Amino acid sequence: MGYPNSASRLGTRFGPYELQSLIGVGGMGEVYRAYDTVRDRVVAIKLLRADMAADPSFQQRFRRESRMAARLQAPHVIPVHDFGEIDGVLYIDMRLVEGASLKDELRAHGTLPPARTAALVGQVAAALDAAHASGLVHRDIKPENVLLTPDDFVYLVDFGIAQGGGEANITSTGLVIGSCAYMAPERLNGGRGEPPSDVYSLACLVFECLTGRAPFTSGDLREVMGAHLFSAPPRPSALRHGLHPAFDDVISRGMAKNPADRYPSAGALAAAVRTAAAAKPAPAAAPVRPGPPPSTRQFSTADPNPAALSQVSRPPVPVPARPAPPRKSRTAPVLAIVTVALFGVAALLAAVLVSGSDTGGSEPRIAAPNLSAPGTASEESTPTTSATPIEGVSGTDAQGFVGHSARCDAGSTPAAVIRTANSLAVVCENDSGSYYYRGERLRDGASLELSDAQPAGSGFVAVNPADGARYRVQPDMLTISSNGSVDSAEPALEYGSA
């Protein structure tokens, strides 16, 4: 038997169940509203993909964990009435919840208020902690599996396909259980799913409630997986203005790469969310609704990395100033020691500068300090470049991203700096008041420079004269479009300006 077909099953019988309507379709199977002719009640029945029943290890685990889920008495765990196999198809008979899923709520509203987020997450956490105490790991926490009654009472579903302790994440047929958009790094690495994996997924769900999108989004599944494995947790306050920065710390710890660095339980994460929601709010702003499906394209398909534009010029490395000669004094021995120390510092700076030159200028620029005697001016001294980072953007100094091509020349000021999961970009302002754009694609370091960037709304836009592609930098998004359509919409992880 192949994959269950909703068109052919509607209005038919599945064992004792009359399938009345289709509630939802997912990667694991289909959920129907059904009438149980034996027990005379309306239920929700999930029919799993037929190939799952063909996997003996999955079928064994499914039966064992469905039995465990049916024994759970936690109020926020969806009650499981029955489970088993009919005509080669595994099924789960559950209580029918009249209401929407959390995914439906996010589609309708874009984002949720912090207080409501805290209330809903607290109920999901209670269900998870009860399951973990019984030795059951859910491993598929996502908005679709959180059902809401009209009065916001939460039921967590799909425990019947959860993972018991100590089992692999991939079945013998190659099926990956769980949704990659919310999957913990250790599971993507093939590790065992444990309670900290559910804590990570719950933190991803918190992020989506607050921002309207999953933490890492891309049209390429491999890049989503790579972001979970290697990219820093995103900052929700960078996507939703007015959101308290305390939520950034909650997401950072909840999505820590090392399971030992996360909250010790789902309940501890929920308590942190409540604390952040109760913090004094920042200035309110309109909710950010999810944008178009993003890709990872930093450059146009017509000219993926124009050679003429990929070489971003850098100012020459400054020459260290010569130290001023020591002045004669009755305290000659003391000054002699100071002089020797100053020459040592100058030699060290020269060595650092030579090293930076050997690496092709990839090291941050270092300006020599003024070694003149107090109260005198040195004509050979070089102004120092400020190392003060741009507020809200990690890995930066006053010119942009350190060690990357997305930074401004000396004499220019960063007017907009953005970091996404896939790109770095900076818009620089010259003394004349004009702007230019520099971008870098993180996966291969390819770079792009565009002159004549223009202010647009709350950000800037630059046009590539080679192919007409438009690069739009906004506080919440780096958007690249061409031929009237969006090619890439990368949510901002960090955004700021000098």
Side-chain angles (χ1 to χ4, degrees):
M1 179 177 292
Y3 185 89
N5 185 289
S6 59
S8 62
R9 286 194 178 274
L10 281 177
T12 66
R13 289 281 290 265
F14 176 76
Y17 303 96
E18 294 178 355
L19 306 182
Q20 298 178 340
S21 62
L22 182 66
I23 296 175
V25 179
M28 301 293 292
E30 301 170 328
V31 181
Y32 291 89
R33 179 189 181 101
Y35 174 65
D36 184 346
T37 59
V38 173
R39 297 175 178 85
D40 189 24
R41 63 186 176 188
V42 177
V43 300
I45 184 170
K46 181 161 191 172
L47 308 184
L48 275 63
R49 286 167 34 185
D51 60 330
M52 294 182 177
D55 182 346
S57 62
F58 179 85
Q59 184 171 157
Q60 181 181 14
R61 180 171 57 79
F62 166 80
R63 293 179 181 278
R64 183 179 68 251
E65 295 179 9
S66 294
R67 189 176 299 110
M68 294 171 64
R71 290 200 300 262
L72 284 176
Q73 299 300 314
H76 297 289
V77 175
I78 192 76
V80 175
H81 299 146
D82 199 3
F83 60 91
E85 179 183 352
I86 297 176
D87 296 332
V89 176
L90 297 173
Y91 74 93
I92 308 173
D93 175 344
M94 303 169 286
R95 175 185 294 176
L96 177 66
V97 176
E98 300 288 357
S101 70
L102 181 55
K103 188 68 173 180
D104 296 329
E105 287 293 289
L106 291 171
R107 285 172 179 160
H109 302 291
T111 61
L112 302 183
R116 188 183 182 201
T117 297
L120 299 180
V121 168
Q123 296 177 70
V124 177
L128 285 176
D129 285 344
H132 295 164
S134 299
L136 194 61
V137 180
H138 191 284
R139 79 170 181 171
D140 197 18
I141 304 299
K142 57 185 179 182
E144 294 92 325
N145 284 339
V146 178
L147 304 183
L148 310 176
T149 66
D151 58 353
D152 264 3
F153 189 89
V154 167
Y155 285 105
L156 184 59
V157 303
D158 266 358
F159 273 99
I161 57 172
Q163 178 189 18
E167 298 210 4
N169 300 317
I170 304 177
T171 68
S172 61
T173 59
L175 174 66
V176 178
I177 308 300
S179 300
C180 285
Y182 313 92
M183 194 175 288
E186 64 271 17
R187 294 194 52 230
L188 293 170
N189 275 327
R192 298 176 176 179
E194 301 290 350
S197 303
D198 281 347
V199 172
Y200 183 97
S201 299
L202 184 59
C204 294
L205 186 141
V206 172
F207 184 91
E208 185 162 356
C209 287
L210 296 172
T211 67
R213 57 174 61 94
F216 302 116
T217 55
S218 171
D220 189 333
L221 181 61
R222 294 168 299 178
E223 297 205 0
V224 173
M225 297 170 69
H228 280 293
L229 288 168
F230 305 113
S231 297
R235 296 168 50 241
S237 68
L239 291 183
R240 183 174 175 179
H241 296 294
L243 194 66
H244 200 285
F247 283 109
D248 297 345
D249 297 331
V250 173
I251 298 302
S252 178
R253 184 176 179 186
M255 290 182 62
K257 305 301 180 190
N258 185 349
D261 293 335
R262 297 172 198 154
Y263 291 99
S265 67
L269 169 60
V273 174
R274 287 194 299 272
T275 300
K280 184 178 179 181
V288 178
R289 290 180 177 270
S295 73
T296 58
R297 192 179 74 92
Q298 171 67 272
F299 306 98
S300 70
T301 53
D303 198 354
N305 187 19
L309 298 176
S310 64
Q311 301 298 323
V312 179
S313 61
R314 288 181 177 271
V317 177
V319 179
R322 263 178 283 162
R327 294 178 296 177
K328 293 183 179 181
S329 170
R330 295 179 181 177
T331 58
V334 175
L335 288 178
I337 295 173
V338 173
T339 302
V340 171
L342 291 176
F343 274 108
V345 170
L348 178 61
L349 286 171
V352 171
L353 291 171
V354 171
S355 173
S357 176
D358 290 342
T359 59
S362 62
E363 296 293 326
R365 290 171 288 159
I366 302 176
N370 187 347
L371 299 181
S372 302
T376 64
S378 171
E379 295 179 356
E380 299 179 77
S381 63
T382 305
T384 59
T385 300
S386 171
T388 303
I390 295 171
E391 183 177 359
V393 185
S394 59
T396 60
D397 61 12
Q399 299 304 115
F401 292 97
V402 176
H404 293 273
S405 58
R407 58 186 290 107
C408 302
D409 292 333
S412 299
T413 303
V417 182
I418 188 170
R419 177 195 297 275
T420 74
N422 309 298
S423 308
L424 306 175
V426 59
V427 176
C428 308
E429 182 178 9
N430 289 314
D431 291 338
S432 62
S434 61
Y435 300 91
Y436 58 94
Y437 168 96
R438 282 179 178 167
E440 179 177 335
R441 186 168 55 202
L442 289 173
R443 73 167 180 262
D444 57 7
S447 58
L448 175 69
E449 179 175 358
L450 300 173
S451 60
D452 197 27
Q454 298 292 329
S458 57
F460 297 86
V461 65
V463 179
N464 189 342
D467 58 9
R470 296 170 61 86
Y471 295 75
R472 187 178 182 90
V473 177
Q474 296 291 314
D476 65 334
M477 190 80 68
L478 171 62
T479 306
I480 306 170
S481 59
S482 60
N483 300 319
S485 62
V486 174
D487 301 315
S488 174
E490 302 177 16
L493 301 180
E494 297 178 322
Y495 179 89
S497 60

